[in-house]
Amino acid sequence: QVQVVESGGGLVQPGGSLRLSCIVSGSSSSSYAMGWYRQAPGNQRELVATITTGSSTNYAESVKGRFTITRDDAKNTVYLQMNSLKPEDAARYYCNARRSILNYWGKGTLVTVSA
């Protein structure tokens, strides 16, 4: 059973930084494309960043230059470094692991950006 578990969310002031972590268990993360998505109250879930098995990355325009996605397959972990956080970045952040028709989601970690 593959499980995806996020951590690292919390309360941060505007302009601050957070690093989210996503651990994959039950399988090696190296064979999965990984992604971070977010959903704010009243909004649809949206893509934040993705990273392929070959470590090619893709970012939403709204986070380019501020967020960085990386992966450490030796630790079965994917990270999302978030800098220069804005109030509009506040949301529940979800990790996704995808391979072919297999698609796994975590339960999310909450990020609050407020003074």
Side-chain angles (χ1 to χ4, degrees):
Q1 178 86 9
V2 176
Q3 290 189 318
V4 176
V5 179
E6 306 93 337
S7 63
L11 172 64
V12 63
Q13 292 185 341
S17 298
L18 279 176
R19 188 177 80 157
L20 306 183
S21 300
C22 169
I23 296 177
V24 177
S25 62
S27 182
S28 172
S29 65
S30 62
S31 63
Y32 291 86
M34 303 296 297
W36 286 97
Y37 294 74
R38 67 186 181 187
Q39 187 169 19
N43 290 354
Q44 290 188 334
R45 191 172 298 188
E46 63 178 4
L47 180 147
V48 176
T50 60
I51 187 166
T52 68
T53 55
S55 294
S56 294
T57 58
N58 180 55
Y59 295 93
E61 284 295 326
S62 60
V63 307
K64 278 184 179 178
R66 300 188 298 122
F67 290 12
T68 303
I69 186 171
T70 57
R71 64 190 301 155
D72 184 345
D73 291 324
K75 296 182 178 179
N76 271 9
T77 302
V78 175
Y79 303 98
L80 184 69
Q81 178 67 44
M82 305 187 296
N83 298 328
S84 302
L85 282 159
K86 304 176 181 180
E88 52 263 42
D89 294 318
R92 179 166 290 274
Y93 283 70
Y94 296 89
C95 182
N96 173 260
R98 180 174 51 82
R99 185 182 73 198
S100 184
I101 63 171
L102 301 175
N103 198 19
Y104 302 100
W105 291 92
K107 295 182 179 180
T109 185
L110 187 63
V111 172
T112 303
V113 185
S114 175

